[in-house]
Amino acid sequence: MGLFDGLVGNSSSISTEEATKIFKDILGENETIFIAFKLIRDTIGFTNSRVVFLDKQGITGKKCSFLSIPYKSISMFSIETSGTFDLDSELKIWVSSSLIVDKKFNKNVNIFEIQKVLATYVANV
């Protein structure tokens, strides 16, 4: 991920091994990460049971906020692919409590991978 992508709010892919290290303290016993993305200091992980957002706060980033959305709570989701002049793709998640999660990804991210994970796990709960 380039610094420019991070500054304009675009996430890029990270390895599942790196994501597992980042989320090791909050993963359940049989929970595994399928795909993950990083935005400067923040991370998004898609596991076999939920979507987890890590928001590092403060100057040092030692304070962390974790938002966990179980797939069964997702009522709807949408993706938007990148275009010629609009270089970012976008994911929107509607949670049953009407909260909307809206994240942007750079053009190198295959947004269809994210859609596939959500389609598999949201439909099967």
Side-chain angles (χ1 to χ4, degrees):
M1 174 182 76
L3 179 60
F4 179 73
D5 286 335
L7 293 174
V8 296
N10 293 330
S11 298
S12 59
S13 299
I14 61 171
S15 71
T16 55
E17 293 81 16
E18 183 180 351
T20 300
K21 289 178 188 175
I22 291 169
F23 291 114
K24 70 180 186 307
D25 294 331
I26 65 161
L27 290 177
E29 190 173 311
N30 294 318
E31 192 172 17
T32 56
I33 296 178
F34 292 114
I35 55 175
F37 304 91
K38 193 150 185 105
L39 167 64
I40 302 179
R41 299 187 310 175
D42 298 343
T43 308
I44 305 167
F46 292 81
T47 77
N48 55 327
S49 60
R50 60 188 168 150
V51 182
V52 184
F53 299 88
L54 165 61
D55 177 17
K56 290 194 174 185
Q57 302 172 356
I59 295 171
T60 63
K62 288 187 179 190
K63 182 177 180 178
C64 296
S65 171
F66 292 92
L67 172 63
S68 177
I69 303 175
Y71 291 120
K72 66 182 179 182
S73 298
I74 297 173
S75 57
M76 209 169 40
F77 58 90
S78 70
I79 62 168
E80 180 180 296
T81 61
S82 60
T84 303
F85 298 107
D86 184 10
L87 299 179
D88 58 340
S89 53
E90 190 171 348
L91 166 70
K92 291 183 181 180
I93 298 174
W94 285 262
V95 179
S96 54
S97 64
S98 298
L99 171 68
I100 298 176
V101 175
D102 189 356
K103 295 293 179 185
K104 295 188 185 298
F105 299 87
N106 71 26
K107 65 180 179 180
N108 296 326
V109 171
N110 183 350
I111 194 77
F112 294 108
E113 287 183 63
I114 297 170
Q115 192 276 339
K116 190 179 290 186
V117 170
L118 288 170
T120 300
Y121 287 99
V122 170
N124 292 324
V125 287

